[in-house]
Amino acid sequence: AQKVTQAQTEISVVEKEDVTLDCVYETRDTTYYLFWYKQPPSGELVFLIRRNSFDEQNEISGRYSWNFQKSTSSFNFTITASQVVDSAVYFCALSVSTGANSKLTFGKGITLSVRP
Amino acid sequence: NAGVMQNPRHLVRRRGQEARLRCSPMKGHSHVYWYRQLPEEGLKFMVYLQKENIIDESGMPKERFSAEFPKEGPSILRIQQVVRGDSAAYFCASSLNAGIQETQYFGPGTRLLVL
């Protein structure tokens, strides 16, 4: 069975601080994909990144960066110089091969509050 | 806007009534997924459909819930005889192809409140 754990439930930072959101996953599959989604206060889910299990290169996109480490089954997300607009719930998700289905297994989410 | 569309955005029902939630996938996408988000919880998979076929409904409650994705028109998630425990946000996602590598793009969700 697959599992995604986001141990931090709520994080509060002051604007311009760096913040790291942790994600730990469990799967016996050797081929899988990891995702991060953002859910702002308006409620929709916004796709941020997809990473496959064979690519451990870290990725940077503007103020966002992701650190994937298979050795610790972690896929952590760092926001540099946080801004108030980063306030949202962030979900980490896992996709493994289950026949014809590519359903996502989500963590419970981390609520990030960025104060001015 | 060619994103995933869901309607209604908010739906209020009394216990025992039926709820119908609609989802139009992104243009060109023929794979639709429904997820439910209970308060303070992550999203839980319910059902995966392709046009006219249910591929995986392992996350659907056995009773009162059904889903369809007809050849023409949106995907429908139907909840019969709603109970208070059905109150949740229901999200639809779509993908271009099948497979674990595919990114699922989500709609804005339907917030169902059962009184």
Side-chain angles (χ1 to χ4, degrees):
Chain A
Q2 287 65 242
K3 186 177 179 181
V4 174
T5 301
Q6 296 181 261
Q8 305 151 307
T9 53
E10 295 185 20
I11 301 175
S12 182
V13 299
V14 176
E15 210 169 15
K16 297 183 184 171
E17 281 186 32
D18 298 347
V19 58
T20 295
L21 310 181
D22 297 334
C23 173
V24 173
Y25 61 92
E26 295 176 32
T27 180
R28 291 183 178 173
D29 286 62
T30 55
T31 302
Y32 52 88
Y33 280 74
L34 294 159
F35 301 80
W36 275 92
Y37 287 87
K38 173 183 179 180
Q39 186 177 39
S42 49
E44 74 276 20
L45 264 83
V46 178
F47 165 72
L48 295 178
I49 191 170
R50 178 187 72 192
R51 175 52 50 92
N52 76 59
S53 53
F54 299 107
D55 181 3
E56 286 194 73
Q57 270 196 327
N58 291 333
E59 179 147 347
I60 298 174
S61 176
R63 296 184 297 107
Y64 295 171
S65 61
W66 289 269
N67 182 301
F68 175 33
Q69 292 198 345
K70 286 180 78 169
S71 60
T72 56
S73 298
S74 64
F75 186 42
N76 297 337
F77 173 28
T78 296
I79 302 175
T80 303
S82 59
Q83 300 176 2
V84 173
V85 293
D86 295 327
S87 297
V89 182
Y90 290 87
F91 292 99
C92 180
L94 169 69
S95 176
V96 302
S97 177
T98 52
N101 193 352
S102 52
K103 63 185 179 186
L104 294 171
T105 299
F106 282 85
K108 290 191 174 183
I110 301 170
T111 300
L112 174 64
S113 299
V114 182
R115 310 186 305 275
Chain B
N1 185 343
V4 178
M5 307 291 288
Q6 288 188 252
N7 66 80
R9 294 290 302 274
H10 299 273
L11 183 61
V12 179
R13 284 288 178 266
R14 297 193 179 278
R15 280 179 296 168
Q17 291 184 319
E18 179 180 287
R20 281 189 180 231
L21 288 61
R22 296 176 193 76
C23 168
S24 296
M26 284 182 71
K27 189 175 183 180
H29 287 194
S30 58
H31 302 265
V32 166
Y33 308 79
W34 286 92
Y35 293 82
R36 177 164 64 175
Q37 183 181 28
L38 294 168
E40 311 300 325
E41 294 282 328
L43 282 73
K44 303 287 187 189
F45 168 79
M46 298 181 75
V47 62
Y48 163 43
L49 310 101
Q50 295 179 27
K51 281 287 187 182
E52 299 185 275
N53 290 303
I54 296 175
I55 307 302
D56 183 345
E57 54 183 347
S58 59
M60 287 272 272
K62 292 289 185 280
E63 298 177 350
R64 301 188 297 107
F65 285 72
S66 62
E68 63 177 13
F69 189 14
K71 187 177 180 181
E72 301 290 338
S75 175
I76 307 286
L77 179 67
R78 183 180 176 206
I79 311 173
Q80 295 178 290
Q81 299 175 320
V82 296
V83 301
R84 290 219 173 102
D86 296 332
S87 295
Y90 291 83
F91 287 91
C92 167
S94 72
S95 65
L96 182 62
N97 296 304
I100 66 169
Q101 76 285 352
E102 290 296 309
T103 296
Q104 294 179 25
Y105 295 93
F106 284 78
T110 294
R111 272 83 184 158
L112 172 66
L113 176 62
V114 180
L115 301 176

